[in-house]
Amino acid sequence: MSFVLFAGCEYFGLMIGDRRSVTIDGKIKSNNEMKVRKINENLATCAAGTEAIIHILWNSIFSKSNYSNISYNECISLLSRKCESIKSEYLELSKNEDLFTNIGIMGIKNNTICLTVIKFLRNDIQIIEKIFDTENDPGFFFFTSGKYENLSDIFLSEFYKCPKYTIQNIKSIFYRVTHKECKKDITINDSFNLEYIKRTDLIERDKIIIEK
């Protein structure tokens, strides 16, 4: 399983994810898996789900340094082409096996924080974009996988006890949730990595300080 989330608002976007990976039969494979990666100052990505899909579509691209200057739109186009190239094979395999996977790309487009999610479903591959362009439009997206998907509900319940939309608050809640829940589910841990991007034009204009 994986627990990875995106949080986005008018001023910043962040991705944070636990660092445990397990085999199909539930044995711990690593406690240092990087499920969130920053590509450049305006672009970051995350993934959760089936290891084979992530390896083909995510690790094979974002582990290479030659993509460090790629833009948000170029990144979406690159992944869309990759998805199209494996779509027929994926749909055939997914008839007999649950290959649930989510890949996220957050970036800045037209001076706006954006998130594109690639969802691998049993009968389709969907690409969805959400734009965060007003102060009234903050939101979360959860890249969970595995049987223990109520982590998103647990996180939101904790967040709304103290609904402060800052990097520090989101990071603290993520740690508290994973620290508690990893005692029940060995497929996640309370180690994590976090990456964020920010709208420097708005932060400077509105004198906003982003808590880290």
Side-chain angles (χ1 to χ4, degrees), residues 64-81:
K64 299 176 182 178
S65 60
N66 59 322
Y67 287 103
S68 60
N69 294 319
I70 195 171
S71 71
Y72 174 76
N73 284 338
E74 289 169 339
C75 186
I76 303 304
S77 295
L78 176 63
L79 281 170
S80 296
R81 292 195 301 271

Side-chain angles (χ1 to χ4, degrees), residues 10 12 20 71 160:
E10 185 179 18
F12 69 84
R20 178 165 287 171
S71 71
Y160 287 115

Side-chain angles (χ1 to χ4, degrees), residues 3-207:
F3 184 42
V4 183
L5 72 81
F6 162 88
C9 65
E10 185 179 18
Y11 295 98
F12 69 84
L14 73 82
M15 290 174 166
I16 183 170
D18 84 285
R19 299 192 62 177
R20 178 165 287 171
S21 64
V22 296
T23 60
I24 295 175
D25 56 359
K27 294 179 181 178
I28 296 172
K29 183 177 179 181
S30 172
N31 284 313
N32 295 295
E33 189 76 16
M34 297 290 286
K35 301 175 185 179
V36 177
R37 292 178 179 170
K38 193 165 190 176
I39 303 167
N40 56 51
E41 287 303 306
N42 295 314
L43 192 66
T45 181
C46 67
T50 305
E51 185 177 12
I53 301 295
I54 291 172
H55 178 73
I56 293 170
L57 278 176
W58 198 68
N59 287 333
S60 64
I61 296 175
F62 299 118
S63 60
K64 299 176 182 178
S65 60
N66 59 322
Y67 287 103
S68 60
N69 294 319
I70 195 171
S71 71
Y72 174 76
N73 284 338
E74 289 169 339
C75 186
I76 303 304
S77 295
L78 176 63
L79 281 170
S80 296
R81 292 195 301 271
K82 276 273 193 178
C83 287
E84 194 60 35
S85 71
I86 69 161
K87 186 172 184 177
S88 59
E89 183 179 2
Y90 166 78
L91 293 177
E92 187 62 33
L93 289 172
S94 66
K95 291 178 181 178
N96 303 311
E97 186 177 357
D98 184 2
L99 300 175
F100 175 85
T101 304
N102 281 328
I103 294 174
I105 306 97
M106 71 173 177
I108 297 175
K109 181 177 73 171
N110 299 326
N111 289 327
T112 303
I113 300 294
C114 301
L115 171 71
T116 289
V117 180
I118 302 174
K119 299 172 68 72
F120 287 80
L121 308 173
R122 182 169 290 276
N123 298 310
D124 196 15
I125 301 174
Q126 295 180 354
I127 300 177
I128 304 164
E129 183 179 55
K130 183 166 177 56
I131 296 171
F132 300 84
D133 59 356
T134 71
E135 63 182 357
N136 298 318
D137 194 33
F140 294 99
F141 187 91
F142 296 91
F143 298 81
T144 54
S145 67
K147 61 183 178 66
Y148 203 50
E149 294 184 7
N150 63 330
L151 279 172
S152 56
D153 294 330
I154 296 170
F155 177 91
L156 289 174
S157 176
E158 290 297 311
F159 175 79
Y160 287 115
K161 292 176 184 177
C162 178
K164 189 178 180 183
Y165 215 87
T166 67
I167 293 171
Q168 181 59 49
N169 189 44
I170 294 166
K171 180 170 68 172
S172 296
I173 295 170
F174 186 91
Y175 173 74
R176 292 201 305 269
V177 170
T178 54
H179 181 69
K180 179 181 179 181
E181 299 303 323
C182 71
K183 297 172 184 176
K184 306 173 187 176
D185 183 357
I186 66 165
T187 67
I188 60 171
N189 64 7
D190 58 8
S191 296
F192 62 85
N193 66 306
L194 178 152
E195 300 291 352
Y196 70 91
I197 60 174
K198 58 185 179 180
R199 289 274 309 276
T200 54
D201 59 322
L202 287 185
I203 291 167
E204 292 169 0
R205 185 198 72 185
D206 297 342
K207 309 300 183 187

